[in-house]
Amino acid sequence: ITWYELYELPSIWYDITAIADSGNKILVGDAAGHIYLSTDGGKTFNQVLNGYYWFVYVEAFAIVSDNVTYVYIYDEGLYKSTDGGENWSKIGTGLPTSFRDNVKIVVNPVNTNVIVVIDKNDGAYLSTDGGGSFTQLSVSGNYFYDAFFDSDGALYIATDRGGFKTTDNGTTWSVVKTGTYYSIYYNKDTHTFILGKDGALEISEDDGSTWTTYGVGVGVKFIGVDNSGNLYVAKDRKGIYKYLNSTQEWKLLKTVESWYNFGQFDVTP
């Protein structure tokens, strides 16, 4: 795998804080609330949101379709685009604007009006009307690290108290596994759970009945799986790794400096 710089963005004074892609469309956000859009795979970018001021971070994107995209901006809140990222409208009644730590937006693939936004310190919030209004979810935990919808629309959340699952938008929860987990993934077709924690992956291939622990050195912050079943993990202060399903071996894709932690990680299937 070859790594290369896509494009030098005009706002060179601001750190890039969020990125999302779906084929040729790439969205990039920076630490002053600017959003840039590329429709040619990163060859060129246009600024589509003017930004605000320093430390108004673009925290997270969620691309739902060619037209619908969400973005969360610290101190501003949730925005939605219905024209492929060209124009944005502020939404999200009931959703705090103070999220700025490990923010993630996930959308239910069965009903795309159901959206969850999480923040490490402030919890998980759910909308059933396409982001118009939100209510806080009552799931066990002091810190909230990850959220994931499976292909049936079940929601999973990883916290400092465990991995949890709900099939009724948070009315009731079941425990996947207790512990502190930074990432959670489930494949219903293979009955496989993958949980990332400090120094290890915990994997179950029988819907959580039995578990195997695989030591990986440091905290696994992000998990992604492609259409071939290959597993990708981002490890703070180490790099990006790929587990090849065909040969059952790990491959280092990209190292990072020893003091770097990952803020965003995305696998396009």
Side-chain angles (χ1 to χ4, degrees), residues 175-178 181 185-186 190-195 201-214:
V175 179
V176 175
K177 202 171 193 299
T178 58
Y181 296 106
Y185 170 82
Y186 177 69
T190 60
H191 309 283
T192 300
F193 278 108
I194 304 174
L195 297 172
L201 287 172
E202 294 193 7
I203 299 177
S204 170
E205 296 178 309
D206 54 11
D207 285 322
S209 295
T210 59
W211 294 84
T212 302
T213 300
Y214 297 89

Side-chain angles (χ1 to χ4, degrees), residues 86-147:
E86 296 286 349
N87 297 281
W88 298 86
S89 300
K90 187 173 181 179
I91 59 173
T93 302
L95 184 67
T97 62
S98 57
F99 288 179
R100 66 174 303 171
D101 194 352
N102 202 61
V103 180
K104 187 170 185 179
I105 307 167
V106 292
V107 180
N108 188 327
V110 177
N111 179 359
T112 56
N113 283 320
V114 178
I115 303 161
V116 170
V117 182
I118 67 166
D119 174 82
K120 175 183 174 182
N121 297 300
D122 292 327
Y125 288 74
L126 179 138
S127 170
T128 58
D129 59 2
S133 59
F134 283 81
T135 57
Q136 188 169 11
L137 292 171
S138 297
V139 57
S140 179
N142 295 310
Y143 300 104
F144 299 78
Y145 295 107
D146 196 16

Side-chain angles (χ1 to χ4, degrees), residues 8-262:
E8 186 172 311
L9 298 175
S11 62
I12 57 174
W13 297 107
Y14 304 115
D15 294 334
I16 291 175
T17 55
I19 188 168
D21 76 279
S22 61
N24 281 328
K25 183 166 75 175
I26 300 174
L27 285 161
V28 175
D30 68 18
H34 301 99
I35 295 177
Y36 298 90
L37 171 66
S38 172
T39 57
D40 56 11
K43 296 177 182 178
T44 60
F45 282 83
N46 294 315
Q47 186 173 318
V48 292
L49 194 66
N50 289 330
Y52 299 91
Y53 45 86
W54 185 242
F55 293 133
V56 180
Y57 292 91
V58 175
E59 296 286 353
F61 290 105
I63 298 176
V64 181
S65 65
D66 288 341
N67 293 321
V68 178
T69 301
Y70 296 92
V71 63
Y72 187 92
I73 303 174
Y74 168 69
D75 208 31
E76 288 294 323
L78 188 69
Y79 284 74
K80 181 178 183 178
S81 173
T82 57
D83 60 5
E86 296 286 349
N87 297 281
W88 298 86
S89 300
K90 187 173 181 179
I91 59 173
T93 302
L95 184 67
T97 62
S98 57
F99 288 179
R100 66 174 303 171
D101 194 352
N102 202 61
V103 180
K104 187 170 185 179
I105 307 167
V106 292
V107 180
N108 188 327
V110 177
N111 179 359
T112 56
N113 283 320
V114 178
I115 303 161
V116 170
V117 182
I118 67 166
D119 174 82
K120 175 183 174 182
N121 297 300
D122 292 327
Y125 288 74
L126 179 138
S127 170
T128 58
D129 59 2
S133 59
F134 283 81
T135 57
Q136 188 169 11
L137 292 171
S138 297
V139 57
S140 179
N142 295 310
Y143 300 104
F144 299 78
Y145 295 107
D146 196 16
F148 172 79
F149 280 106
D150 70 18
S151 58
D152 281 341
L155 171 65
Y156 304 81
I157 291 182
T159 79
D160 62 331
R161 293 185 180 175
F164 301 92
K165 173 184 177 180
T166 178
T167 57
D168 53 15
N169 288 337
T171 301
T172 58
W173 295 88
S174 59
V175 179
V176 175
K177 202 171 193 299
T178 58
T180 296
Y181 296 106
Y182 301 133
S183 47
I184 188 166
Y185 170 82
Y186 177 69
N187 185 316
K188 74 177 186 67
D189 295 325
T190 60
H191 309 283
T192 300
F193 278 108
I194 304 174
L195 297 172
K197 67 176 187 178
D198 270 336
L201 287 172
E202 294 193 7
I203 299 177
S204 170
E205 296 178 309
D206 54 11
D207 285 322
S209 295
T210 59
W211 294 84
T212 302
T213 300
Y214 297 89
V216 292
V218 296
V220 177
K221 194 168 184 180
F222 297 99
I223 294 173
V225 179
D226 65 21
N227 287 336
S228 298
N230 299 311
L231 172 67
Y232 299 78
V233 299
K235 300 194 293 182
D236 281 347
R237 303 178 302 281
K238 291 292 184 178
I240 300 172
Y241 293 78
K242 177 180 180 180
Y243 183 77
L244 299 170
N245 203 33
S246 57
T247 59
Q248 297 186 336
E249 61 181 355
W250 288 97
K251 181 179 181 180
L252 175 64
L253 300 182
K254 177 69 173 176
T255 58
V256 297
E257 298 294 341
S258 61
W259 58 83
Y260 283 174
N261 291 333
F262 282 94

